[in-house]
């Protein structure tokens, strides 16, 4: 549920604001809280938009794998906005919803292939401070994906960290986009 962000949402006025709000509502049904908060600094907002558009054009790594990686990062960091948005986006892009739903508890779930598990392990290992990526895990992913896809996956996880950590620090929480389209609730990450 959307709570109070640490930086209040900006009043979005003007022509550019009208365009941004209209696009956000068309894509999501509402203005995304990260947009409203970041509106305070348009250069940062525009950077975020630019990065997002460029990342969407990457095509060397499977979209399901990237979706699982992003959601694994969000689950580890604790970004409820990104988890919800990732699940919503998986729905909109026709990705595997049964698996996307299980990402928060991927270690316990039996729905993932060994490659998908390696991808989520890699995403978490990159997210850890300091990173805990091993040569063995990298070698398995290189063999399975090839160099171009592994480079893309690595950069995608890095961008996911940028987004999830920004939202978490700003206090941005889930807007329940996935609930608005009738998706089952996300599985809950195990506390053990």
């Amino acid at each position: 549920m959307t709570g109070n962000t640490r930086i209040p949402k900006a009043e979005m006025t003007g022509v550019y604001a009208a365009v941004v709000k209209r696009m956000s509502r068309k894509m999501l049904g509402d203005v995304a809280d990260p947009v409203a908060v970041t509106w305070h600094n348009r250069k940062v907002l525009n950077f975020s938009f630019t990065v997002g558009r460029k990342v969407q054009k990457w095509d060397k790594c499977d979209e399901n794998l990237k979706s699982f990686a992003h959601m694994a990062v969000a689950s580890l960091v604790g970004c409820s906005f990104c988890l919800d948005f990732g699940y919503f986006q998986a729905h909109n892009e026709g990705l595997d919803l049964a698996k996307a739903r299980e990402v928060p508890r991927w270690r316990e779930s039996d729905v993932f292939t060994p490659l998908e598990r390696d991808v989520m392990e890699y995403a978490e290992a990159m997210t850890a401070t300091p990173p805990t990526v091993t040569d063995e895990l990298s070698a398995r992913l290189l063999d399975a994906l090839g160099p171009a896809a592994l480079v893309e996956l690595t950069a995608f996880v890095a961008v996911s960290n940028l987004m999830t950590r920004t939202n978490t620090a700003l206090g941005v929480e889930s807007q329940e986009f996935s609930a608005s389209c009738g998706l089952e609730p996300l599985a809950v990450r195990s506390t053990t």
Side-chain angles (χ1 to χ4, degrees), residues 79-92:
C79 182
S80 64
F81 178 88
C82 293
L83 264 174
D84 176 54
F85 181 74
Y87 191 29
F88 173 81
Q89 195 170 22
H91 170 263
N92 287 348

Side-chain angles (χ1 to χ4, degrees), residues 8-30:
K9 294 179 230 175
E11 183 179 346
M12 297 176 64
T13 60
V15 175
Y16 183 47
V19 170
V20 168
K21 290 190 289 188
R22 183 170 187 215
M23 288 175 54
S24 187
R25 286 185 182 117
K26 184 177 181 181
M27 290 179 0
L28 307 172
D30 198 1

